[in-house]
Amino acid sequence: MLFHVVTIFPGFFTGPLDYGVVARARQSGALAVRLWDLRDFTFDRHRTVDDRPFGGGEGMLMKIEPISLALDKIAEQSGRRPHAVLLSAQGRLFEQAAARRLAECEELVLLCGRYEGVDERVAEHLVDEEISIGNFVLSGGELAAAVVLDAVARLRPGVLGNEQSAQCESFAAPGEEVGILDGPQYTRPAEFRGWQAPEILLSGNHEQIRRWRRRAALEKTLRNRPDLLDRAKLSDEDLEILEDPPRHQGAKN
Ligand code: 9D3
């Protein structure tokens, strides 16, 4: 999969792209990233990419012309117009379903907003969709683009090292649907500063372990993300577990 990232800070992406599965996928050729410096599509002495809002107001907006020229150049190089996403605070909320959908693209443009925003004609006429990564204020679209790139890339065959996901109709691995949260997990040592890993996990009783894990995951979801439980498809066993009072001890926060 080929990502085109359009930004005024191309240097920002050395870092996010150079570690872990993304770095390895780039080395193996499963993934490629081309960085486009928006200022290369300006012609004035100051390489201006921003201007003052019509009608007045605080701050500056990104101009449409350099963005349009950058997208033209990408289209020319690709021989088509790849699916283009504007990262902006006014976009639709990014979720796993969108990551799965975008992972179907062979080529994807991520356009990073900056300043107080982007001339609205970009969202209206030049990109296919506008995405926000959450209800918080960032300084620009670069971090959001890195987040989207990571979430999309890891769904591609050959990126996580799980080649078998290439056989899946959708690239998402089974069990990776956003249902409820992963439950708590523990590894050695079994006791640290008097904090004991749950005994049941050391018991070897796999049926009991399975039930304990499911309960712990449901409880953690109820505590941290009750919104997910409204959407999740819970089994009869899940409902029974949620009815039952917990049999295990342990600090709750
Ligand atoms: C007057 C209100 N503005 C500043 C508080 C709105 C505003 C403009 C530009 C808020 C953020 C930004 C820059 N943000 C992004 O470009 C952005 C973003 C985000 O802020 N939150 C979540 N996802 C994204 S994707 C791009």
Side-chain angles (χ1 to χ4, degrees), residues 139-234:
S139 320
E142 280 77 8
L143 277 172
V147 166
V148 169
L149 193 156
D150 188 276
V152 172
R154 63 183 294 287
L155 298 179
R156 296 285 301 189
V159 170
L160 269 189
N162 55 339
E163 308 297 332
Q164 95 278 355
S165 50
Q167 299 156 11
C168 284
E169 189 209 327
S170 154
F171 297 124
E176 208 171 22
E177 303 299 310
V178 181
I180 68 169
L181 301 179
D182 285 352
Q185 303 184 85
Y186 303 83
T187 186
R188 294 185 293 179
E191 192 201 310
F192 177 75
R193 292 199 200 157
W195 305 324
Q196 180 64 47
E199 303 278 7
I200 194 163
L201 297 178
L202 311 175
S203 71
N205 185 333
H206 296 291
E207 178 56 20
Q208 277 203 60
I209 289 172
R210 190 189 60 77
R211 262 187 85 91
W212 183 91
R213 283 188 165 149
R214 188 66 187 175
R215 168 192 290 280
L218 286 164
E219 285 175 348
K220 186 151 189 169
T221 305
L222 190 59
R223 188 154 28 99
N224 288 355
R225 293 295 305 279
D227 58 303
L228 289 183
L229 279 186
D230 299 336
R231 288 204 267 168
K233 35 194 187 319
L234 299 182

Side-chain angles (χ1 to χ4, degrees), residues 11-252:
F12 195 100
F13 291 86
T14 58
L17 301 178
D18 292 335
Y19 293 90
V21 294
V22 170
R24 276 196 295 283
R26 291 174 70 205
Q27 281 159 13
S28 78
L31 185 69
V33 182
R34 285 192 203 140
L35 298 170
W36 299 87
D37 186 342
L38 202 54
R39 292 192 196 278
D40 292 343
F41 301 91
T42 61
F43 302 100
D44 64 309
R45 215 158 54 83
H46 297 104
R47 312 226 291 163
T48 308
V49 292
D50 62 330
D51 207 339
R52 292 158 36 205
F54 283 133
E58 286 297 294
M60 302 290 272
L61 300 179
M62 286 179 88
K63 294 166 64 61
I64 192 171
E65 297 108 308
I67 292 170
S68 181
L69 288 170
L71 295 176
D72 285 350
K73 183 74 182 178
I74 291 167
E76 185 193 309
Q77 204 185 73
S78 303
R80 62 183 160 131
R81 205 160 256 283
H83 192 81
V85 175
L86 171 64
L87 285 311
S88 103
Q90 287 73 43
R92 292 215 175 99
L93 193 60
F94 185 60
E95 297 199 9
Q96 192 66 14
R100 258 183 263 118
R101 181 168 52 73
L102 294 176
E104 310 276 341
C105 300
E106 281 311 312
E107 218 170 322
L108 191 62
V109 178
L110 300 176
L111 171 59
C112 308
R114 271 276 152 181
Y115 310 108
E116 276 309 296
V118 181
D119 186 309
E120 188 64 21
R121 289 169 292 187
V122 170
E124 276 179 353
H125 302 294
L126 295 186
V127 300
D128 299 288
E129 56 187 307
E130 192 174 2
I131 285 179
S132 156
I133 62 162
N135 300 326
F136 40 79
V137 181
L138 298 173
S139 320
E142 280 77 8
L143 277 172
V147 166
V148 169
L149 193 156
D150 188 276
V152 172
R154 63 183 294 287
L155 298 179
R156 296 285 301 189
V159 170
L160 269 189
N162 55 339
E163 308 297 332
Q164 95 278 355
S165 50
Q167 299 156 11
C168 284
E169 189 209 327
S170 154
F171 297 124
E176 208 171 22
E177 303 299 310
V178 181
I180 68 169
L181 301 179
D182 285 352
Q185 303 184 85
Y186 303 83
T187 186
R188 294 185 293 179
E191 192 201 310
F192 177 75
R193 292 199 200 157
W195 305 324
Q196 180 64 47
E199 303 278 7
I200 194 163
L201 297 178
L202 311 175
S203 71
N205 185 333
H206 296 291
E207 178 56 20
Q208 277 203 60
I209 289 172
R210 190 189 60 77
R211 262 187 85 91
W212 183 91
R213 283 188 165 149
R214 188 66 187 175
R215 168 192 290 280
L218 286 164
E219 285 175 348
K220 186 151 189 169
T221 305
L222 190 59
R223 188 154 28 99
N224 288 355
R225 293 295 305 279
D227 58 303
L228 289 183
L229 279 186
D230 299 336
R231 288 204 267 168
K233 35 194 187 319
L234 299 182
S235 67
D236 289 348
E237 188 189 23
D238 289 337
L239 299 174
E240 175 196 317
I241 287 173
L242 280 173
E243 295 298 304
D244 268 10
R247 267 180 291 285
H248 63 277
Q249 71 299 322
K252 287 281 167 290

